[in-house]
Amino acid sequence: MFQTKLRNETWEDLPKMSCTTEIQAAFILSSFVTFFSGLIILLIFRLIWRSVKKWQTIKGTGIILELFTSGTIARSRVRSLHFQGQFRDRIEMLLSAQTFVGQVLVILVFVLSIGSLIIYFINSADPVGSCSSYEDKTIPIDLVFNAFFSFYFGLRFMAADDKIKFWLEMNSIVDIFTIPPTFISYYLKSNWLGLRFLRALRLLELPQILQILRAIKTSNSVKFSKLLSIILSTWFTAAGFIHLVENSGDPWLKGRNSQNISYFESIYLVMATTSTVGFGDVVAKTSLGRTFIMFFTLGSLILFANYIPEMVELFANKRKYTSSYEALKGKKFIVVCGNITVDSVTAFLRNFLRDKSGEINTEIVFLGETPPSLELETIFKCYLAYTTFISGSSMKWEDLRRVAVESAEACLIIANPLCSDSHAEDISNIMRVLSIKNYDSTTRIIIQILQSHNKVYLPKIPSWNWDTGDNIICFAELKLGFIAQGCLVPGLCTFLTSLFVEQNKKVMPKQTWKKHFLNSMKNKILTQHLSDDFAGMSFPEVARLCFLKMHLLLIAIEYKSLFTDGFCGLILNPPPQVRIRKNTLGFFIAETPKDVRRALFYCSVCHDDVFIPELITNCGCKSRSRQHITVPSVKRMKKCLKGISSRISGQDSPPRVSASTSSISNFTTRTLQHDIEQDSDQLDSSGMFHWCKPTSLDKVTLKRTGKSKYKFRNHIVACVFGDAHSAPMGLRNFVMPLRASNYTRKELKDIVFVGSLDYLQREWRFLRNFPQIYILPGCALYSGDLHAANIEQCSMCVVLSPPPKPSSNQTLVDTEAIMATLTIGSLQIDSSSDPSPAVSEETPGYTNGHNEKSNCRKVPILTELKNPSNIHFIEQLGGLEGSLQETNLHLSTAFSTGTVFSGSFLDSLLATLMWKLAIKGSQFQGRSSGLCW
């Protein structure tokens, strides 16, 4: 009794009074009546409007009205519609926050909604069964807020095109269920909590407000604010409903099962339910509360399982990958951007760090546009000492500043060779180059380009500079150029690829040929300055001496012209007219850098009688021999060469060096000047390629009517897959090496392309100026089309992999190439029927061990695989006994016999080029074009 009296006295001290059931019903019914009555009125008006529109469409009705009113109805209606349209446009502009006034209005509505929610939090400290009188100072403030909300609601209602759809929007429902009770409280001179907790749903507009204020700019921050607003609004709204029903009780029990629970305890119950962990200290006792908790638990499974971990991941990734890279003075690093995926990163790191882990003092900073996946994170953790990942875009200067690209040794832009649109991939990478060059024009850039014709855009960038190390690696030129050279010299693709690919897997074969092949995989291209004792000698003389005495294969030198603006670059197998000068850089094929140092230590005096390569080391007279080299020393070295050759060949004259390697490169100088002069009128303007007048496609298209086989001989058959919608692969890069000017016109081989005429028609404008090119419409999957191209007499059949298709499985990208290879491999040709001179039965790699006793041979074939793991589909075509049972492309029999080629080695070439340019420094500046092509 005393407690009840004390409680009543306490309430009397405050401006509170008890709310009867009738008062509470008045507050709640005002909202429901407003909602449903407004909805019914809108539906009635829509029905009336549609009825009027139908009535006006009745024949003659509109004409009669127009005659009786003399057009006044139409004119007044036009003026009314014009006024309404202008008024609506102004309101829409105001509400869309496109103007300053509109932004202020939207922000003000949000701030006042939060203020009204705070007033609800203050009033929720009182019992739900009590009503606040107008002596409470928060009530007039809340009344002013709701009056402004009514004005804003009216503006939105007038601007809405579909009134019914507007009435059912969430913000409209919030206003309908919170504004009318305020006017009821003004009439009753008392206020009740009721459904005012619905104001918490206005928190969903938090991301829009933060964007207007420019407080958030990135996509992650927008996503984080959106998730946060959803969670907070859900918690506050659900807690308000629990607080209302638990303190009021079930209506049909007249509140007998109610319990006194604060709003804070309601939030605690909602958060515990959301986390799916119920402690049992605070529970719902009413039937309405428990029913709500049942449905809210199901929603909490989605809310907690999806939104909360996503928020934590965004927050963790923001701190983990959005930091800045600290460039330390004296420490080298490179920046890698573009196609940052698991495959590209793995290939680059494997080749960049192979056998150099102890030597590398360079860090690799990867700039990725998306956060790394779990698999990619594992790779970065494995190479934690050498790699750093930063999330950002090379298109933004802020992200370039974070990776300190201006202090990097070089910036590498990786392309995606398996993309469906290679042109779009090239353009995006060129835009990255432009962004980086605009940020810092001195940054050295190495970019991968998929299509050769897109290279022309890069030199047009004002800050692009070949001399400072800016370089282009073109996939199409390298890949198709290697395949073209493999058509002229079978097995050359395998030889060149093995120079850039190194196998770390140890294999112990028993067959002799396997041992030789695997040992050859240890060779690579190395550079070393030549001894000054070679000065004055020709390149063939130095190459012969290095091979015979040092077991080194010298393939090229860096040649510098004596003139100021003369030629300076790499020359492969230069002619005898080119003389070696002091401090000349040589390019060798050898196993280790220790082996090539013999070319630097060689002394014509001390090593004159030395024939063991390991004994050629640095001697004491080296400093004297470098100061001056006399003519007799050159003669003595030539005499030494003659003596070595005599011991090996048993003759007095030195052996003749084969000039077949001169056909490997387009940079080789031809010694037969009369042939060049004779064919000069048929070369292009640069003099590097055979040229002819533009030929129409109809003249080179081979018709199938009347002829079952064309009489080609010793030609090249190229099987091409593609249709009218496929991306061009750049067949011009395949034809150019085969039409090089270092071949005479008689040495040129006919090229027959077998494929879709729609696709080849798109490529023809790049091929029409090259002679002896023919097109056979058909498909390499059909033997009839292959026989029509006289594949039996060809010197090489090339199967080019089709362009990637959108959303294609990476395992199936080589389907057409594999099926065509199997079709061509199944062709059995009678070797007695005058086979091509270029390929005989004894040609290694092209005979079939099971058919050697029969007079059958196989068509020489070279297949391109985009996915190296598909090698096991055609491994049985290697044609050698005891095949290498490996799924690795470079350890397969098909690769060792030169029948398969894959552009995956370009990753190794890219890592090697980055090692030479970024790590070795200015020594290799401006030389990558010679190294790559």
Side-chain angles (χ1 to χ4, degrees):
M1 188 73 178
F2 176 77
Q3 293 179 355
T4 305
K5 183 178 181 181
L6 180 62
R7 189 189 321 171
N8 294 332
E9 290 177 355
T10 304
W11 288 0
E12 289 175 359
D13 294 337
L14 298 174
K16 311 290 179 184
M17 61 181 179
S18 177
C19 273
T20 62
T21 306
E22 291 77 7
I23 296 177
Q24 295 179 11
F27 278 97
I28 295 179
L29 288 177
S30 64
S31 300
F32 282 96
V33 170
T34 303
F35 176 76
F36 287 106
S37 62
L39 184 61
I40 293 173
I41 292 173
L42 291 176
L43 289 174
I44 292 174
F45 267 98
R46 175 165 291 187
L47 292 175
I48 295 175
W49 177 255
R50 289 183 177 180
S51 299
V52 171
K53 297 291 284 185
K54 289 182 179 179
W55 177 259
Q56 289 180 354
T57 56
I58 298 176
K59 185 177 181 180
T61 305
I63 299 176
I64 295 174
L65 291 174
E66 185 70 21
L67 291 174
F68 277 99
T69 58
S70 299
T72 56
I73 296 178
R75 287 193 294 270
S76 61
R77 179 174 178 81
V78 170
R79 286 194 296 268
S80 176
L81 291 176
H82 179 70
F83 174 76
Q84 292 179 3
Q86 284 188 338
F87 182 72
R88 179 177 296 178
D89 292 341
R90 291 183 178 273
I91 295 178
E92 288 180 353
M93 182 64 67
L94 188 66
L95 297 177
S96 61
Q98 298 297 321
T99 61
F100 176 76
V101 179
Q103 293 177 356
V104 172
L105 182 62
V106 173
I107 294 175
L108 184 60
V109 170
F110 179 79
V111 172
L112 295 182
S113 298
I114 300 302
S116 180
L117 183 63
I118 294 175
I119 293 176
Y120 169 79
F121 291 157
I122 296 174
N123 295 335
S124 64
D126 302 327
V128 175
S130 63
C131 290
S132 301
S133 65
Y134 260 62
E135 296 180 5
D136 191 350
K137 296 181 179 180
T138 60
I139 295 179
I141 298 175
D142 190 50
L143 181 62
V144 174
F145 287 173
N146 281 273
F148 181 79
F149 295 151
S150 302
F151 168 73
Y152 187 71
F153 179 84
L155 291 179
R156 292 173 51 240
F157 180 79
M158 288 186 292
D161 295 328
D162 190 344
K163 308 299 182 182
I164 296 179
K165 183 179 180 181
F166 163 80
W167 198 262
L168 298 177
E169 288 180 356
M170 187 189 64
N171 288 334
S172 301
I173 293 176
V174 171
D175 290 337
I176 293 172
F177 280 87
T178 54
I179 294 176
T182 305
F183 296 102
I184 296 296
S185 66
Y186 178 78
Y187 175 77
L188 297 177
K189 302 300 179 182
S190 61
N191 196 7
W192 183 55
L193 288 177
L195 302 177
R196 289 159 56 191
F197 59 85
L198 293 177
R199 278 289 164 192
L201 294 176
R202 279 283 184 177
L203 287 172
L204 294 174
E205 298 179 359
L206 179 62
Q208 180 185 359
I209 301 302
L210 293 178
Q211 285 180 312
I212 293 176
L213 297 175
R214 297 183 180 180
I216 54 176
K217 298 180 181 179
T218 62
S219 59
N220 286 339
S221 58
V222 173
K223 190 175 183 179
F224 180 80
S225 62
K226 184 178 180 180
L227 295 176
L228 182 62
S229 62
I230 292 175
I231 292 175
L232 291 180
S233 60
T234 304
W235 282 349
F236 290 153
T237 306
F241 183 82
I242 292 294
H243 179 258
L244 176 64
V245 299
E246 289 298 315
N247 284 277
S248 302
D250 293 325
W252 54 87
L253 296 179
K254 298 182 179 181
R256 289 193 300 270
N257 60 343
S258 64
Q259 62 171 333
N260 191 10
I261 181 174
S262 65
Y263 185 78
F264 177 77
E265 292 176 338
S266 300
I267 293 180
Y268 171 76
L269 175 61
V270 169
M271 294 182 65
T273 305
T274 305
S275 62
T276 66
V277 179
F279 297 101
D281 49 349
V282 179
V283 295
K285 294 183 178 180
T286 62
S287 299
L288 287 176
R290 291 178 177 178
T291 304
F292 176 78
I293 289 296
M294 291 170 58
F295 290 99
F296 185 75
T297 303
L298 298 177
S300 299
L301 295 176
I302 302 175
L303 184 69
F304 187 80
N306 293 332
Y307 291 171
I308 300 295
E310 194 170 354
M311 288 179 60
V312 174
E313 184 180 359
L314 287 174
F315 184 73
N317 288 338
K318 183 177 181 180
R319 299 184 58 185
K320 189 174 182 180
Y321 298 116
T322 58
S323 59
S324 299
Y325 176 77
E326 297 182 3
L328 302 178
K329 187 178 181 180
K331 185 177 181 180
K332 297 180 179 181
F333 71 96
I334 59 177
V335 177
V336 181
C337 58
N339 181 40
I340 306 299
T341 60
V342 175
D343 296 333
S344 63
V345 171
T346 303
F348 179 79
L349 292 177
R350 183 179 62 247
N351 293 283
F352 187 81
L353 300 176
R354 64 180 186 187
D355 296 338
K356 306 184 186 77
S357 299
E359 306 174 14
I360 290 183
N361 190 24
T362 302
E363 191 168 357
I364 307 173
V365 180
F366 290 94
L367 180 61
E369 297 182 358
T370 57
S373 60
L374 295 177
E375 188 176 359
L376 192 56
E377 279 186 344
T378 304
I379 296 175
F380 289 140
K381 290 179 181 179
C382 295
Y383 296 96
L384 187 62
Y386 305 101
T387 62
T388 299
F389 182 86
I390 294 179
S391 180
S393 174
S394 56
M395 300 290 188
K396 301 179 180 179
W397 284 17
E398 180 183 356
D399 296 334
L400 294 176
R401 188 179 298 108
R402 287 169 46 226
V403 296
V405 71
E406 68 277 2
S407 302
E409 293 293 318
C411 181
L412 173 63
I413 301 177
I414 300 179
N416 181 15
L418 298 179
C419 65
S420 58
D421 192 349
S422 55
H423 179 73
E425 179 74 8
D426 285 343
I427 295 302
S428 62
N429 288 332
I430 292 174
M431 293 301 297
R432 292 186 175 96
V433 174
L434 186 60
S435 175
I436 297 172
K437 285 295 185 180
N438 288 337
Y439 174 75
D440 182 66
S441 59
T442 61
T443 301
R444 181 189 301 169
I445 293 181
I446 303 173
I447 179 176
Q448 289 182 336
I449 291 294
L450 300 179
Q451 295 183 345
S452 59
H453 62 269
N454 290 325
K455 295 193 306 179
V456 298
Y457 300 108
L458 291 168
K460 295 179 182 179
I461 299 177
S463 53
W464 183 270
N465 192 348
W466 298 100
D467 297 331
T468 58
D470 293 338
N471 289 271
I472 303 173
I473 298 179
C474 183
F475 273 69
E477 283 187 354
L478 290 171
K479 179 185 66 176
L480 296 177
F482 272 43
I483 294 175
Q485 300 293 355
C487 296
L488 302 174
V489 183
L492 182 63
C493 294
T494 299
F495 169 70
L496 295 177
T497 303
S498 62
L499 296 177
F500 299 101
V501 176
E502 186 170 341
Q503 295 295 332
N504 297 324
K505 186 176 181 180
K506 294 183 179 180
V507 181
M508 302 299 295
K510 297 181 181 180
Q511 290 81 2
T512 304
W513 73 268
K514 293 181 182 179
K515 295 180 180 179
H516 290 315
F517 172 70
L518 294 177
N519 288 334
S520 67
M521 297 289 289
K522 301 178 182 178
N523 293 321
K524 46 185 169 289
I525 296 181
L526 300 172
T527 57
Q528 180 61 60
H529 285 88
L530 300 178
S531 172
D532 290 345
D533 287 1
F534 294 135
M537 299 177 62
S538 65
F539 179 84
E541 293 173 345
V542 177
R544 188 185 302 115
L545 190 146
C546 291
F547 182 75
L548 297 177
K549 297 198 67 171
M550 308 175 200
H551 296 177
L552 298 176
L553 184 58
L554 179 64
I555 60 173
I557 60 171
E558 180 193 30
Y559 182 77
K560 297 180 180 179
S561 178
L562 296 176
F563 300 98
T564 305
D565 53 351
F567 173 78
C568 179
L570 182 144
I571 302 181
L572 289 171
N573 191 21
Q577 290 82 2
V578 177
R579 297 289 173 173
I580 304 297
R581 300 190 182 96
K582 291 184 178 181
N583 199 28
T584 298
L585 185 67
F587 291 79
F588 297 87
I589 295 179
E591 293 186 9
T592 61
K594 181 180 178 181
D595 296 338
V596 298
R597 290 183 65 85
R598 301 167 190 164
L600 176 65
F601 294 149
Y602 183 79
C603 177
S604 60
V605 177
C606 302
H607 304 141
D608 187 20
D609 299 329
V610 177
F611 298 98
I612 302 177
E614 288 76 10
L615 298 180
I616 301 178
T617 57
N618 195 5
C619 61
C621 65
K622 192 66 178 175
S623 59
R624 294 193 300 271
S625 64
R626 282 189 174 183
Q627 294 176 1
H628 180 71
I629 180 167
T630 60
V631 177
S633 64
V634 177
K635 294 180 178 180
R636 183 166 58 250
M637 294 186 70
K638 292 183 178 180
K639 183 178 179 180
C640 175
L641 285 174
K642 184 176 180 180
I644 295 173
S645 302
S646 300
R647 291 186 179 92
I648 295 177
S649 62
Q651 301 175 359
D652 293 336
S653 61
R656 179 177 299 178
V657 180
S658 174
S660 61
T661 57
S662 63
S663 63
I664 297 178
S665 173
N666 294 335
F667 299 102
T668 322
T669 305
R670 189 168 181 84
T671 59
L672 300 176
Q673 298 295 334
H674 63 279
D675 290 339
I676 297 180
E677 294 175 358
Q678 183 180 357
D679 295 338
S680 60
D681 57 337
Q682 298 178 351
L683 301 180
D684 64 344
S685 58
S686 65
M688 297 180 62
F689 304 101
H690 287 275
W691 179 87
C692 67
K693 294 181 179 181
T695 308
S696 62
L697 183 63
D698 296 334
K699 292 183 179 180
V700 299
T701 303
L702 304 178
K703 309 297 182 181
R704 294 293 302 274
T705 58
K707 285 189 177 181
S708 60
K709 182 184 295 185
Y710 287 88
K711 295 183 179 180
F712 291 105
R713 179 181 176 85
N714 197 22
H715 58 293
I716 297 174
V717 178
C719 303
V720 181
F721 297 95
D723 51 28
H725 304 287
S726 301
M729 66 178 66
L731 296 177
R732 178 173 177 265
N733 301 298
F734 174 77
V735 175
M736 288 174 63
L738 301 175
R739 293 297 177 262
S741 60
N742 56 343
Y743 301 107
T744 63
R745 193 60 175 259
K746 296 181 179 179
E747 293 175 343
L748 299 182
K749 296 184 178 182
D750 295 330
I751 303 175
V752 181
F753 288 103
V754 180
S756 172
L757 185 60
D758 295 334
Y759 176 79
L760 294 173
Q761 187 176 6
R762 300 169 58 194
E763 295 269 7
W764 181 246
R765 64 190 184 100
F766 302 105
L767 306 175
R768 59 187 178 182
N769 290 110
F770 294 105
Q772 300 178 228
I773 297 179
Y774 303 93
I775 291 178
L776 178 63
C779 182
L781 299 179
Y782 301 100
S783 303
D785 296 334
L786 297 175
H787 287 296
N790 199 12
I791 196 173
E792 297 87 352
Q793 301 294 332
C794 73
S795 63
M796 181 64 68
C797 179
V798 178
V799 180
L800 300 177
S801 186
K805 298 179 181 179
S807 304
S808 60
N809 191 346
Q810 298 303 323
T811 308
L812 303 178
V813 294
D814 299 317
T815 303
E816 292 89 347
I818 293 173
M819 298 304 296
T821 302
L822 296 176
T823 301
I824 298 171
S826 63
L827 299 177
Q828 299 295 332
I829 304 171
D830 188 4
S831 58
S832 62
S833 60
D834 193 13
S836 173
V839 181
S840 62
E841 292 184 35
E842 291 80 11
T843 304
Y846 301 110
T847 58
N848 190 339
H850 299 285
N851 296 327
E852 284 184 357
K853 294 182 180 180
S854 61
N855 294 327
C856 292
R857 63 180 180 89
K858 282 191 173 183
V859 177
I861 188 172
L862 178 57
T863 302
E864 176 200 358
L865 293 180
K866 288 186 177 296
N867 190 353
S869 61
N870 290 332
I871 182 62
H872 64 278
F873 291 110
I874 54 177
E875 172 64 354
Q876 66 273 20
L877 296 179
L880 293 178
E881 295 292 341
S883 299
L884 294 170
Q885 301 299 325
E886 295 289 340
T887 58
N888 191 324
L889 171 69
H890 303 110
L891 293 179
S892 63
T893 306
F895 175 77
S896 63
T897 56
T899 58
V900 172
F901 174 81
S902 177
S904 61
F905 86 98
L906 295 176
D907 297 325
S908 303
L909 179 60
L910 177 64
T912 303
L913 179 62
M914 179 61 70
W915 167 262
K916 298 297 183 183
L917 292 176
I919 310 303
K920 297 297 184 181
S922 60
Q923 176 184 354
F924 289 89
Q925 288 185 2
R927 300 196 185 104
S928 69
S929 58
L931 284 172
C932 295
W933 184 227

